[in-house]
Amino acid sequence: FVFFAAIWFAYLIRTMTLTLLGMVTFWTTRVSALFELYFAAELIFSGRLVPLSLMPEWVQQAAWVMPFRWAFGFPIEALVGSMSINELLIGLGMQLAWILFGVIAVSLVWKVAIRQFSAVGG
């Protein structure tokens, strides 16, 4: 059950972060550099490029407070099953915190961004 919850929560975290990233287009049309920066950070801080346990301590600490670890690394760790119940509950709590933050951020940014919208063309 915990693994499936971790996967579902990871999906929601990623959806929220990419929605926020996509909403940048309300203010500018040139977002490719920002997208590349986001995906580079995601590769490093999620553990997809190199496992976080092999990274320097400062990277591990930074990854703890970023959403990338909770969207990729934590569900994989939960699947492998090498975590204690306490670690699993803390991880699910962090995922829920990021989901809550994402919902609030998306709704606030959407309210501001929709005022910026203007259609071009016919």
mmCIF file of all heavy atoms in Angstrom, residues 12-32:
data_model
loop_
_atom_site.group_PDB
_atom_site.id
_atom_site.type_symbol
_atom_site.label_atom_id
_atom_site.label_comp_id
_atom_site.label_asym_id
_atom_site.label_seq_id
_atom_site.Cartn_x
_atom_site.Cartn_y
_atom_site.Cartn_z
ATOM 1 N N LEU A 12 1.461 13.378 -8.363
ATOM 2 C CA LEU A 12 0.850 14.671 -8.054
ATOM 3 C C LEU A 12 1.899 15.760 -7.850
ATOM 4 O O LEU A 12 1.713 16.895 -8.306
ATOM 5 C CB LEU A 12 -0.040 14.547 -6.809
ATOM 6 C CG LEU A 12 -1.295 13.704 -6.985
ATOM 7 C CD1 LEU A 12 -2.009 13.537 -5.647
ATOM 8 C CD2 LEU A 12 -2.216 14.290 -8.025
ATOM 9 N N ILE A 13 3.001 15.424 -7.204
ATOM 10 C CA ILE A 13 4.082 16.401 -7.009
ATOM 11 C C ILE A 13 4.632 16.849 -8.355
ATOM 12 O O ILE A 13 4.803 18.045 -8.611
ATOM 13 C CB ILE A 13 5.208 15.816 -6.137
ATOM 14 C CG1 ILE A 13 4.727 15.603 -4.709
ATOM 15 C CG2 ILE A 13 6.442 16.726 -6.147
ATOM 16 C CD1 ILE A 13 5.671 14.781 -3.859
ATOM 17 N N ARG A 14 4.900 15.897 -9.211
ATOM 18 C CA ARG A 14 5.459 16.242 -10.526
ATOM 19 C C ARG A 14 4.466 17.053 -11.345
ATOM 20 O O ARG A 14 4.835 17.996 -12.038
ATOM 21 C CB ARG A 14 5.873 14.978 -11.277
ATOM 22 C CG ARG A 14 6.682 15.296 -12.515
ATOM 23 C CD ARG A 14 7.902 14.424 -12.598
ATOM 24 N NE ARG A 14 8.883 14.984 -13.504
ATOM 25 C CZ ARG A 14 8.959 14.685 -14.797
ATOM 26 N NH1 ARG A 14 8.128 13.833 -15.327
ATOM 27 N NH2 ARG A 14 9.898 15.223 -15.547
ATOM 28 N N THR A 15 3.196 16.705 -11.260
ATOM 29 C CA THR A 15 2.169 17.455 -11.977
ATOM 30 C C THR A 15 2.137 18.900 -11.498
ATOM 31 O O THR A 15 2.075 19.832 -12.315
ATOM 32 C CB THR A 15 0.792 16.798 -11.781
ATOM 33 O OG1 THR A 15 0.834 15.477 -12.319
ATOM 34 C CG2 THR A 15 -0.310 17.588 -12.461
ATOM 35 N N MET A 16 2.199 19.099 -10.198
ATOM 36 C CA MET A 16 2.159 20.460 -9.656
ATOM 37 C C MET A 16 3.390 21.272 -10.065
ATOM 38 O O MET A 16 3.272 22.426 -10.466
ATOM 39 C CB MET A 16 2.062 20.433 -8.124
ATOM 40 C CG MET A 16 0.820 19.843 -7.586
ATOM 41 S SD MET A 16 -0.626 20.777 -8.046
ATOM 42 C CE MET A 16 -1.877 19.605 -7.612
ATOM 43 N N THR A 17 4.576 20.666 -9.974
ATOM 44 C CA THR A 17 5.787 21.422 -10.316
ATOM 45 C C THR A 17 5.833 21.755 -11.802
ATOM 46 O O THR A 17 6.208 22.864 -12.172
ATOM 47 C CB THR A 17 7.066 20.669 -9.894
ATOM 48 O OG1 THR A 17 7.059 19.365 -10.467
ATOM 49 C CG2 THR A 17 7.174 20.572 -8.388
ATOM 50 N N LEU A 18 5.430 20.821 -12.640
ATOM 51 C CA LEU A 18 5.444 21.104 -14.080
ATOM 52 C C LEU A 18 4.335 22.079 -14.474
ATOM 53 O O LEU A 18 4.508 22.867 -15.412
ATOM 54 C CB LEU A 18 5.347 19.812 -14.876
ATOM 55 C CG LEU A 18 6.600 18.934 -14.807
ATOM 56 C CD1 LEU A 18 6.395 17.627 -15.564
ATOM 57 C CD2 LEU A 18 7.816 19.668 -15.342
ATOM 58 N N THR A 19 3.227 22.062 -13.762
ATOM 59 C CA THR A 19 2.172 23.048 -14.014
ATOM 60 C C THR A 19 2.676 24.443 -13.674
ATOM 61 O O THR A 19 2.475 25.389 -14.436
ATOM 62 C CB THR A 19 0.913 22.714 -13.191
ATOM 63 O OG1 THR A 19 0.441 21.427 -13.577
ATOM 64 C CG2 THR A 19 -0.179 23.745 -13.409
ATOM 65 N N LEU A 20 3.348 24.568 -12.528
ATOM 66 C CA LEU A 20 3.922 25.865 -12.163
ATOM 67 C C LEU A 20 4.952 26.320 -13.189
ATOM 68 O O LEU A 20 4.987 27.491 -13.573
ATOM 69 C CB LEU A 20 4.561 25.787 -10.778
ATOM 70 C CG LEU A 20 3.601 25.792 -9.602
ATOM 71 C CD1 LEU A 20 4.340 25.442 -8.321
ATOM 72 C CD2 LEU A 20 2.924 27.149 -9.476
ATOM 73 N N LEU A 21 5.770 25.392 -13.621
ATOM 74 C CA LEU A 21 6.771 25.734 -14.627
ATOM 75 C C LEU A 21 6.104 26.160 -15.933
ATOM 76 O O LEU A 21 6.528 27.123 -16.571
ATOM 77 C CB LEU A 21 7.698 24.529 -14.859
ATOM 78 C CG LEU A 21 8.907 24.734 -15.729
ATOM 79 C CD1 LEU A 21 9.816 25.814 -15.159
ATOM 80 C CD2 LEU A 21 9.679 23.446 -15.875
ATOM 81 N N GLY A 22 5.064 25.481 -16.315
ATOM 82 C CA GLY A 22 4.354 25.833 -17.540
ATOM 83 C C GLY A 22 3.659 27.179 -17.458
ATOM 84 O O GLY A 22 3.509 27.871 -18.474
ATOM 85 N N MET A 23 3.249 27.565 -16.268
ATOM 86 C CA MET A 23 2.557 28.847 -16.128
ATOM 87 C C MET A 23 3.487 30.043 -16.313
ATOM 88 O O MET A 23 3.013 31.172 -16.433
ATOM 89 C CB MET A 23 1.837 28.916 -14.787
ATOM 90 C CG MET A 23 0.529 28.145 -14.816
ATOM 91 S SD MET A 23 -0.568 28.594 -13.479
ATOM 92 C CE MET A 23 -0.047 27.438 -12.238
ATOM 93 N N VAL A 24 4.790 29.806 -16.365
ATOM 94 C CA VAL A 24 5.734 30.891 -16.664
ATOM 95 C C VAL A 24 5.425 31.482 -18.038
ATOM 96 O O VAL A 24 5.659 32.657 -18.287
ATOM 97 C CB VAL A 24 7.187 30.360 -16.594
ATOM 98 C CG1 VAL A 24 8.172 31.376 -17.118
ATOM 99 C CG2 VAL A 24 7.519 29.969 -15.173
ATOM 100 N N THR A 25 4.833 30.682 -18.908
ATOM 101 C CA THR A 25 4.535 31.157 -20.259
ATOM 102 C C THR A 25 3.459 32.239 -20.281
ATOM 103 O O THR A 25 3.242 32.845 -21.321
ATOM 104 C CB THR A 25 4.109 29.990 -21.174
ATOM 105 O OG1 THR A 25 2.956 29.350 -20.616
ATOM 106 C CG2 THR A 25 5.227 28.985 -21.325
ATOM 107 N N PHE A 26 2.792 32.479 -19.176
ATOM 108 C CA PHE A 26 1.867 33.603 -19.114
ATOM 109 C C PHE A 26 2.612 34.928 -19.151
ATOM 110 O O PHE A 26 2.042 35.946 -19.506
ATOM 111 C CB PHE A 26 1.007 33.537 -17.846
ATOM 112 C CG PHE A 26 -0.172 32.621 -17.965
ATOM 113 C CD1 PHE A 26 -0.144 31.365 -17.397
ATOM 114 C CD2 PHE A 26 -1.314 33.025 -18.642
ATOM 115 C CE1 PHE A 26 -1.231 30.520 -17.494
ATOM 116 C CE2 PHE A 26 -2.409 32.186 -18.754
ATOM 117 C CZ PHE A 26 -2.370 30.928 -18.173
ATOM 118 N N TRP A 27 3.884 34.919 -18.746
ATOM 119 C CA TRP A 27 4.655 36.147 -18.694
ATOM 120 C C TRP A 27 5.693 36.254 -19.801
ATOM 121 O O TRP A 27 6.137 37.339 -20.110
ATOM 122 C CB TRP A 27 5.344 36.280 -17.328
ATOM 123 C CG TRP A 27 4.366 36.583 -16.247
ATOM 124 C CD1 TRP A 27 3.878 37.817 -15.914
ATOM 125 C CD2 TRP A 27 3.726 35.652 -15.374
ATOM 126 N NE1 TRP A 27 2.979 37.710 -14.885
ATOM 127 C CE2 TRP A 27 2.864 36.391 -14.530
ATOM 128 C CE3 TRP A 27 3.790 34.272 -15.225
ATOM 129 C CZ2 TRP A 27 2.084 35.787 -13.556
ATOM 130 C CZ3 TRP A 27 3.010 33.676 -14.239
ATOM 131 C CH2 TRP A 27 2.175 34.430 -13.423
ATOM 132 N N THR A 28 6.105 35.132 -20.358
ATOM 133 C CA THR A 28 7.116 35.158 -21.412
ATOM 134 C C THR A 28 6.910 33.976 -22.350
ATOM 135 O O THR A 28 6.302 32.980 -21.981
ATOM 136 C CB THR A 28 8.547 35.130 -20.830
ATOM 137 O OG1 THR A 28 9.477 35.232 -21.899
ATOM 138 C CG2 THR A 28 8.809 33.863 -20.045
ATOM 139 N N THR A 29 7.427 34.098 -23.545
ATOM 140 C CA THR A 29 7.320 32.992 -24.502
ATOM 141 C C THR A 29 8.633 32.226 -24.628
ATOM 142 O O THR A 29 8.671 31.187 -25.247
ATOM 143 C CB THR A 29 6.924 33.513 -25.894
ATOM 144 O OG1 THR A 29 7.880 34.497 -26.310
ATOM 145 C CG2 THR A 29 5.529 34.115 -25.855
ATOM 146 N N ARG A 30 9.676 32.750 -24.037
ATOM 147 C CA ARG A 30 10.981 32.094 -24.111
ATOM 148 C C ARG A 30 11.300 31.420 -22.786
ATOM 149 O O ARG A 30 11.874 32.024 -21.893
ATOM 150 C CB ARG A 30 12.057 33.107 -24.469
ATOM 151 C CG ARG A 30 11.808 33.690 -25.825
ATOM 152 C CD ARG A 30 12.886 34.619 -26.220
ATOM 153 N NE ARG A 30 12.584 35.116 -27.551
ATOM 154 C CZ ARG A 30 13.500 35.430 -28.421
ATOM 155 N NH1 ARG A 30 14.767 35.296 -28.108
ATOM 156 N NH2 ARG A 30 13.162 35.879 -29.597
ATOM 157 N N VAL A 31 10.932 30.163 -22.704
ATOM 158 C CA VAL A 31 11.093 29.443 -21.442
ATOM 159 C C VAL A 31 12.015 28.236 -21.571
ATOM 160 O O VAL A 31 12.210 27.506 -20.606
ATOM 161 C CB VAL A 31 9.726 28.985 -20.890
ATOM 162 C CG1 VAL A 31 8.888 30.177 -20.501
ATOM 163 C CG2 VAL A 31 9.007 28.115 -21.880
ATOM 164 N N SER A 32 12.593 28.027 -22.728
ATOM 165 C CA SER A 32 13.394 26.819 -22.932
ATOM 166 C C SER A 32 14.589 26.757 -21.971
ATOM 167 O O SER A 32 14.902 25.690 -21.444
ATOM 168 C CB SER A 32 13.865 26.708 -24.381
ATOM 169 O OG SER A 32 14.667 27.812 -24.727
#
